[in-house]
């Protein structure tokens, strides 16, 4: 007989474990690639995988390249800690990330007039400044963070983290 497959959407616990596993795996792979890139000076350093800052050098790309995978790892570990500390860590970090992505979306939207003026005047190349893609990515990531916060605030999920543990 074949064992029954578990669907990750059957229970909150299974979904949280799957989400934690994905966050840890992706965060670990990306962080190790970025750190290897920084240590050995590989050509991967010059690639921009996710356009968050719209090509503007007001913000440091390498700072985000290390901090965002690290945040994924911290949230992945926090989801596995079935305690108030793990839940609080995830909520706080998700609020910080949602605020960052929301701010970047708002800031980049405010730069659109200047961007169009400079592209029309041939002062900058449109390909060097993926501002519209960055606005879409930041808005999507902010919404994803807010959905994760709403999910973690659900009573059934909160109960997983805040229920008293039996003493043995």
């Amino acid at each position: 007989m074949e064992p029954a497959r578990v669907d990750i959407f059957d229970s909150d616990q299974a979904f949280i474990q799957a989400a934690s596993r994905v966050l840890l795996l992706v965060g670990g792979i990306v962080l190790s690639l970025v750190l290897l890139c920084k240590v050995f000076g590989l050509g991967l350093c010059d690639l921009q995988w996710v356009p968050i800052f719209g090509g503007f050098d007001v913000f440091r790309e390498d700072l985000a390249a290390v901090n965002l995978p690290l945040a994924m790892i911290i949230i992945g570990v926090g989801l596995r800690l079935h305690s108030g500390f793990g839940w609080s860590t995830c909520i706080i970090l998700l609020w910080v990330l949602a605020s960052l992505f929301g701010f970047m979306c708002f800031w980049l939207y405010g730069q659109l007039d200047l961007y169009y003026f400079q592209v029309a005047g041939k002062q900058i190349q449109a390909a060097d400044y993926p501002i519209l893609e960055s606005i879409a990515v930041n808005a999507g990531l902010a919404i994803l963070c807010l959905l994760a916060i709403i999910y973690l605030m659900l009573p059934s999920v909160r109960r997983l983290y805040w229920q008293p543990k039996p003493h043995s």
Side-chain angles (χ1 to χ4, degrees):
M1 269 197 171
E2 193 176 314
R5 294 189 152 212
V6 177
D7 186 14
I8 63 168
F9 298 110
D10 280 345
S11 72
D12 290 328
Q13 184 120 16
F15 180 75
I16 289 171
Q17 290 300 320
S20 172
R21 200 171 303 123
V22 167
L23 284 169
L24 287 171
L25 183 68
V26 171
I29 289 171
V30 172
L31 184 64
S32 60
L33 282 175
V34 168
L35 292 178
L36 282 173
C37 170
K38 297 295 179 193
V39 170
F40 296 115
L42 302 173
L44 294 173
C45 290
D46 300 330
L47 295 177
Q48 184 180 5
W49 295 341
V50 180
I52 293 178
F53 301 119
F56 292 101
D57 49 348
V58 175
F59 305 102
R60 293 182 51 143
E61 286 282 339
D62 57 344
L63 193 74
V66 172
N67 288 339
L68 292 178
L70 193 58
M72 290 174 71
I73 291 172
I74 292 170
I75 291 172
V77 169
L79 288 174
R80 289 182 179 260
L81 297 175
H82 289 286
S83 66
F85 177 72
W87 184 85
S88 301
T89 302
C90 290
I91 292 292
I92 291 169
L93 195 51
L94 284 168
W95 273 117
V96 168
L97 288 172
S99 300
L100 169 75
F101 296 135
F103 169 76
M104 286 307 303
C105 189
F106 177 74
W107 186 80
L108 288 169
Y109 183 74
Q111 301 295 317
L112 273 178
D113 291 338
L114 177 64
Y115 169 74
Y116 288 136
F117 178 73
Q118 288 178 341
V119 168
K122 305 282 188 216
Q123 296 171 355
I124 61 172
Q125 297 273 337
D128 294 337
Y129 294 88
I131 192 166
L132 295 175
E133 293 90 349
S134 297
I135 290 172
V137 165
N138 282 312
L141 290 173
I143 290 170
L144 186 66
C145 288
L146 290 174
L147 288 174
I149 290 169
I150 291 169
Y151 178 73
L152 287 174
M153 292 284 198
L154 292 174
S156 61
V157 175
R158 246 190 351 228
R159 206 172 299 119
L160 288 173
Y161 290 94
W162 290 99
Q163 67 185 358
K165 304 290 184 233
H167 298 290
S168 47

